[in-house]
Amino acid sequence: MKSFKKLALTAIMVGVLAFTTACNAQETQNNNSKKVEEETKQLQGEIKIDGSSTVFPIMEAVVEEYGMEQPGVKVSVASSGTGGGFEAFIAGETDLSNASRPIKDEEKAKLEEKGIDYTELKLAFDGLTVVVNKENDWVDYLTIDELKKIWVEDGTVKKWSDIRPEWPDEEIKLFSPGTDSGTYDYFDEVVLEGKPLAEKAALSEDDNILVQGVKGEKNAIGYFGYAYYLENKNNLKVVPIDGGNGPVEPNNKTIESSEYAPLSRPLFTYVKNIAVKDKEEVYHFVKFVLENCADLSEDVGYVKLPKDEYNKQLKTLEELK
Amino acid sequence: MNFFDHKSINARMKIRVIVNLFAKIIFFAAMMFGLFILGVLLYRIVSQGIGYLDLQFLQSLPSRKPEQAGVYTALIGSVLLMAVVAPVSLLLGVATAIYLEEYAKDNRFTAFIKVNISNLAGVPSIVFGLLGLTVFVRALALGTSVLAAGLTMSLLVLPIIIVAAQEALKAVPASLREASYAMGATKWQTIVRIVLPVAIPGILTGGILALSRAIGETAPLVVLGLPLFLAYLPKSIFDLFTVLPMQIYNWTGRPQEEFHSLAAAGIIVLLILLLFMNFLAVLIRNKFQKRY
């Protein structure tokens, strides 16, 4: 019995200890931020952001910088995917919702139903990059029709020679992002056009797995965000895409100028109008986003928009206030 | 009189020795297999992450620059989550097990409940995430707070704790209980003074397994909508927070190689936290094992 009491005591003490350490840590932080506030008279408040995991690195970078300027504003960024983000946005739980595709009609309808007005803001470009194995010496470029032939399920086993007769008579190994991802959604819209993806394709939500897959298989082809290609440039061969005006290779220049069409896609964030109007910190934050995300998005592997686009959107923001 | 037929014993001796040796080798190989895989995993993680593991890593916020990134908020968040999950799940779990083993009548209803609890242990964790989202986050309006996440995680690990505690209670020799009753003790006195102290080591083993699972889970927390980037610490259990596995998951998905190393460093931190919890459990267990 004595030991049992001691056990209870130890358990309680451990619990209390954990709490006090946590509280202490937090108090010191509070003190720090209070000091800064007194010096510069800054904003207070809370901003909640959720949405696409593709856009997350940009937001993380922006919030990191913003935190140095406005330590009093508590910004949290979740990453439950474009769809999941909109769900929370519709439920009124978030102020900003990141998206790697434009908002869908059904999502618009639900927002309307709830009486939530929103504004779409473009943050940066991502170039959907099609890659093949380094040892693949036959693919020089692909047209959109050829991409379709490769990726749409038609009941046959696909061989390179089916695409162009002079290419080898070997089976193509497909690597694609999972069907939940915004990357897949975009590819679906531009290439598949609603038709089912080839059943043999290996799917993964983790683009790093796709990189490994294409790296290790001579007959592989895959697609993913530009940043993943950029990091693995030496191990992959990029495929220039012919969207009707001759083959174009994705790089910062061609993506920014929209020359790399139709596979360069814009990345968005959707902001609640009422939040901009009522909460000064949200207005201030969104302004900070538009002013800084050109450089910060390039830092994390995306491509900035032309300068005019940001200026135009800053004007829109002023009108919202 | 001849008790042993030496001839027949000798005839079978060789094969018996061989079978014994064979069994020993198989069991040893089974253990070595697990140990080997663990060793490879540990080697990979440690060799990749150790370079990023320093005090600065523990004290910094996540960052787009790998050299400056850290796990401060995530580490505190994980500790806070455990501070909710441990008491809630252990109290509820052990109480349930005591009722089922000591008080409940041995009828079909009890058997039905027991089977269902065992089945619950096999339900995918994401289902508990959805449950937590509808019940705790939305219906009870707790938001994505430490409390909501802690309760969700408690539900997730409850079956493990209950089953382990049931087994531990079952393993207490009947003679001990009977001796206690013979001295005139009530059921409650017997449970608190005799049964529980004897069963504590077994209960703790189940508890530590369950908590280890709770601290490493990501899927249900992603469903709850926990943020990945948080520049401030939760003030109470009603505030937003983030945990280590979410941070690790995020880093492994990044294109840049440096973030993968950061993820490895995060895993090391998580492992150390787990080891520390295990250490506490072993301390308590040893104390009780000496008694009986």
Side-chain angles (χ1 to χ4, degrees):
Chain A
M1 187 61 198
K2 237 185 206 165
S3 304
F4 193 61
K5 268 187 187 158
K6 266 189 196 160
L7 164 71
L9 201 72
T10 342
I12 290 169
M13 272 169 57
V14 170
V16 168
L17 211 73
F19 261 115
T20 39
T21 24
C23 292
N24 278 341
Q26 163 203 319
E27 259 163 34
T28 42
Q29 230 218 351
N30 280 351
N31 288 342
N32 284 343
S33 53
K34 258 179 205 150
K35 260 180 216 158
V36 180
E37 271 155 39
E38 276 161 19
E39 279 162 17
T40 45
K41 280 265 174 195
Q42 289 187 314
L43 292 169
Q44 287 277 350
E46 213 174 308
I47 303 174
K48 276 188 166 185
I49 307 171
D50 198 348
S52 163
S53 53
T54 312
V55 187
F56 178 81
I58 301 180
M59 265 307 167
E60 186 190 50
V62 173
V63 174
E64 187 189 347
E65 292 299 317
Y66 189 70
M68 291 172 200
E69 196 170 291
Q70 294 282 358
V73 181
K74 295 174 163 186
V75 191
S76 67
V77 193
S79 140
S80 47
T82 302
F86 275 127
E87 237 171 74
F89 194 57
I90 290 163
E93 288 164 4
T94 50
D95 300 307
L96 275 85
S97 199
N98 301 328
S100 57
R101 56 158 170 82
I103 188 166
K104 285 182 183 164
D105 287 339
E106 50 220 272
E107 289 157 348
K108 276 185 198 165
K110 276 185 197 160
L111 279 169
E112 209 165 299
E113 211 174 281
K114 293 251 174 178
I116 298 174
D117 287 328
Y118 60 89
T119 304
E120 176 186 287
L121 299 171
K122 275 188 204 170
L123 298 179
F125 280 124
D126 183 16
L128 229 66
T129 308
V130 179
V131 295
V132 292
N133 189 274
K134 199 86 192 163
E135 283 173 46
N136 182 326
D137 50 9
W138 56 89
V139 174
D140 43 1
Y141 70 91
L142 285 168
T143 65
I144 295 296
D145 278 337
E146 283 167 338
L147 277 178
K148 236 175 256 184
K149 239 192 244 171
I150 294 174
W151 289 97
V152 173
E153 174 64 37
D154 57 5
T156 62
V157 175
K158 281 157 192 171
K159 291 180 175 169
W160 284 107
S161 52
D162 298 338
I163 310 303
R164 280 187 218 167
E166 67 267 29
W167 286 352
D169 183 25
E170 277 170 89
E171 192 186 333
I172 309 176
K173 297 270 193 280
L174 305 167
F175 292 89
S176 163
T179 50
D180 273 345
S181 65
T183 316
Y184 174 85
D185 279 347
Y186 192 78
F187 195 73
D188 181 35
E189 193 180 302
V190 177
V191 176
L192 306 178
E193 295 179 311
K195 295 191 199 88
L197 184 76
E199 268 168 29
K200 279 219 158 177
L203 300 177
S204 172
E205 294 295 339
D206 183 351
D207 289 354
N208 287 315
I209 307 257
L210 302 175
V211 170
Q212 293 306 326
V214 177
K215 232 198 250 179
E217 171 64 55
K218 195 183 171 193
N219 287 304
I221 185 166
Y223 66 92
F224 35 72
Y226 180 60
Y228 290 85
Y229 162 66
L230 222 52
E231 281 304 312
N232 297 283
K233 239 178 177 170
N234 300 326
N235 302 310
L236 297 167
K237 180 178 162 187
V238 66
V239 180
I241 300 298
D242 184 351
N245 299 317
V248 179
E249 196 177 303
N251 57 43
N252 288 35
K253 232 170 137 192
T254 54
I255 295 173
E256 186 188 330
S257 64
S258 302
E259 216 180 307
Y260 180 67
L263 286 182
S264 71
R265 58 166 173 172
L267 301 174
F268 304 95
T269 191
Y270 288 81
V271 57
K272 202 153 67 171
N273 290 353
I274 190 90
V276 176
K277 215 178 235 173
D278 290 354
K279 291 160 81 176
E280 201 190 343
E281 67 270 17
V282 174
Y283 161 76
H284 192 264
F285 175 74
V286 175
K287 197 171 155 197
F288 187 89
V289 170
L290 290 172
E291 281 168 352
N292 293 284
C293 96
D295 292 337
L296 293 176
S297 56
E298 301 244 316
D299 265 9
V300 293
Y302 295 106
V303 179
K304 62 174 187 276
L305 306 174
K307 229 183 167 179
D308 295 352
E309 291 256 5
Y310 291 115
N311 290 337
K312 240 189 270 167
Q313 300 190 91
L314 276 167
K315 258 181 217 154
T316 327
L317 180 71
E318 292 304 325
E319 283 159 24
L320 286 179
K321 212 190 169 191
Chain B
M1 224 164 91
N2 201 355
F3 285 106
F4 303 108
D5 179 358
H6 285 280
K7 234 186 209 166
S8 80
I9 287 177
N10 281 340
R12 302 259 312 142
M13 202 56 178
K14 225 176 197 168
I15 196 128
R16 285 172 61 203
V17 169
I18 288 174
V19 166
N20 189 41
L21 189 72
F22 188 67
K24 186 178 160 188
I25 289 173
I26 287 208
F27 296 143
F28 181 73
M31 183 201 69
M32 284 313 286
F33 177 75
L35 215 60
F36 176 72
I37 301 284
L38 180 72
V40 170
L41 262 175
L42 278 181
Y43 172 74
R44 218 189 92 84
I45 296 293
V46 171
S47 62
Q48 196 184 1
I50 199 80
Y52 280 93
L53 197 66
D54 50 19
L55 262 180
Q56 182 256 331
F57 181 71
L58 294 179
Q59 292 169 340
S60 315
L61 298 170
S63 162
R64 70 177 185 285
K65 301 181 199 106
E67 328 69 72
Q68 290 175 14
V71 289
Y72 184 53
T73 39
L75 177 63
I76 302 286
S78 273
V79 173
L80 270 181
L81 183 70
M82 281 305 105
V84 172
V85 176
V88 171
S89 62
L90 278 174
L91 284 178
L92 280 179
V94 175
T96 310
I98 289 177
Y99 176 77
L100 285 176
E101 284 306 314
E102 304 289 331
Y103 287 98
K105 289 201 179 89
D106 202 6
N107 55 20
R108 279 209 189 150
F109 180 65
T110 314
F112 177 73
I113 290 183
K114 282 185 186 172
V115 168
N116 272 299
I117 288 174
S118 311
N119 278 343
L120 266 185
V123 171
S125 56
I126 195 144
V127 176
F128 285 95
L130 290 169
L131 178 87
L133 182 68
T134 31
V135 177
F136 300 124
V137 175
R138 301 244 161 97
L140 295 179
L142 293 175
T144 38
S145 59
V146 183
L147 185 61
L151 291 175
T152 309
M153 284 306 203
S154 301
L155 285 186
L156 173 73
V157 300
L158 256 182
I160 308 174
I161 295 186
I162 295 175
V163 172
Q166 273 181 300
E167 292 306 320
L169 290 172
K170 259 189 233 166
V172 177
S175 57
L176 280 181
R177 287 196 180 85
E178 282 154 9
S180 172
Y181 292 140
M183 302 296 285
T186 63
K187 192 156 206 167
W188 165 243
Q189 285 171 323
T190 307
I191 290 171
V192 173
R193 297 192 188 165
I194 307 296
V195 179
L196 265 188
V198 175
I200 282 282
I203 294 176
L204 277 178
T205 307
I208 200 70
L209 277 177
L211 291 185
S212 311
R213 183 167 176 209
I215 204 172
E217 272 287 347
T218 329
L221 297 178
V222 172
V223 176
L224 290 185
L226 244 64
L228 263 176
F229 184 92
L230 203 61
Y232 56 93
L233 286 171
K235 280 202 173 109
S236 72
I237 54 172
F238 298 103
D239 284 348
L240 268 175
F241 75 118
T242 186
V243 292
L244 273 172
M246 302 251 319
Q247 190 59 58
I248 293 167
Y249 176 70
N250 170 249
W251 277 335
T252 52
R254 291 296 186 87
Q256 293 84 359
E257 191 62 44
E258 294 86 355
F259 281 113
H260 303 169
S261 302
L262 276 180
I267 292 171
I268 299 176
V269 173
L270 191 64
L271 279 177
I272 292 172
L273 195 59
L274 252 176
L275 261 167
F276 177 70
M277 279 163 53
N278 266 313
F279 173 70
L280 278 185
V282 169
L283 270 190
I284 300 171
R285 197 166 61 192
N286 283 350
K287 213 174 157 74
F288 281 90
Q289 250 159 3
K290 271 180 223 143
R291 271 180 55 110
Y292 174 67

